[in-house]
């Protein structure tokens, strides 16, 4: 199918201002431009491309396996935006294998670019300064058959900090 959907709600609350909360964590669609799924466009509420840690699901890492510095650039790790991902077939297979063994986040492309609001998930836009992020990566197969994903990320944008609660 050229189109797929993913929906993930959360009912745990933010633990900051309210103890009980229902919100969307992910709500996006992938449109596959080509039948081999090498080129795709993702739109909706999704993970932002600012670091390897951000792309890894909590089910794919240990509890303390995330840097606090990541939260300063992408609070909530997700936002509303549109992305383009390019994944050659060999990379698609390797990304799937890495994710199966909890050593990688899955297929976010050898090349990815995204434009997003920049205020985090489920929050209104406050400054109309869209964030832009780029990912360049590749899953290499080593001579012993092990896989190694290497990559770089870059992003820019201006985040408006909420005033402290009264």
């Amino acid at each position: 199918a050229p189109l797929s959907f993913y929906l993930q709600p959360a009912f745990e609350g933010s633990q900051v201002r309210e103890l009980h909360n229902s919100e969307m964590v992910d709500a996006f669609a992938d449109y596959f431009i080509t039948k081999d799924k090498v080129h795709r466009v993702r739109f909706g509420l999704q993970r932002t491309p600012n670091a390897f840690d951000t792309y890894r699901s909590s089910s794919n890492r240990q509890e303390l396996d995330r840097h606090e510095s990541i939260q300063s650039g992408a609070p909530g790790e997700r936002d509303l935006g549109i992305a383009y991902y390019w994944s050659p077939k060999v990379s698609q297979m390797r990304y799937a294998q890495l994710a199966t063994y909890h050593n990688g986040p899955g297929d976010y492309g050898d090349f990815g670019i995204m434009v997003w609001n920049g205020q985090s998930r489920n929050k209104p836009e406050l400054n109309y300064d869209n964030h832009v992020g780029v990912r360049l990566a590749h899953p290499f197969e080593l001579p012993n058959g092990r896989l190694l994903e290497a990559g770089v990320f870059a992003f820019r944008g201006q985040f408006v900090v909420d005033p402290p609660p009264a």
Side-chain angles (χ1 to χ4, degrees), residues 21 32 35 37-38 45 65 68 73-74 89 92 100 120 140 148 153 156-157:
N21 186 24
F32 296 98
K35 288 183 181 183
K37 299 183 179 181
V38 169
L45 182 61
D65 191 17
E68 285 298 318
K89 289 303 284 183
Q92 290 177 33
T100 298
S120 186
F140 295 94
L148 171 69
F153 291 84
R156 63 131 323 259

Side-chain angles (χ1 to χ4, degrees), residues 29-165:
D30 280 338
Y31 175 73
F32 296 98
I33 299 170
T34 56
K35 288 183 181 183
D36 58 4
K37 299 183 179 181
V38 169
H39 302 276
R40 75 177 185 268
V41 176
R42 175 173 288 177
F43 50 94
L45 182 61
Q46 59 186 298
R47 294 180 186 273
T48 58
N50 72 316
F52 182 80
D53 285 348
T54 302
Y55 277 145
R56 291 179 71 200
S57 171
S58 57
S59 65
N60 290 353
R61 66 180 192 281
Q62 294 180 6
E63 212 44 49
L64 299 175
D65 191 17
R66 179 159 297 177
H67 299 284
E68 285 298 318
S69 60
I70 299 306
Q71 293 300 320
S72 67
E77 303 165 358
R78 293 161 170 88
D79 210 332
L80 187 63
I82 185 165
Y84 165 78
Y85 294 110
W86 173 72
S87 302
K89 289 303 284 183
V90 66
S91 294
Q92 290 177 33
M93 292 183 295
R94 291 175 183 168
Y95 287 131
Q97 186 177 354
L98 282 164
T100 298
Y101 292 105
H102 301 290
N103 291 322
D107 187 357
Y108 286 91
D110 280 17
F111 173 77
I113 185 167
M114 180 177 170
V115 177
W116 68 95
N117 280 342
Q119 279 306 121
S120 186
R121 68 180 194 203
N122 301 303
K123 291 187 177 180
E125 178 59 33
L126 297 176
N127 64 1
Y128 303 102
D129 177 55
N130 290 330
H131 284 51
V132 178
V134 178
R135 163 190 161 92
L136 186 59
H138 186 72
F140 295 94
E141 185 171 356
L142 302 176
N144 64 1
R146 303 273 320 235
L147 296 176
L148 171 69
E149 180 180 342
V152 295
F153 291 84
F155 73 101
R156 63 131 323 259
Q158 188 173 36
F159 181 80
V160 176
V161 178
D162 287 335

Side-chain angles (χ1 to χ4, degrees), residues 8-23:
Q8 180 183 347
F11 301 108
E12 79 281 357
S14 69
Q15 306 299 319
V16 176
R17 293 192 179 131
E18 62 278 339
L19 295 177
H20 302 288
N21 186 24
S22 299
E23 64 183 16

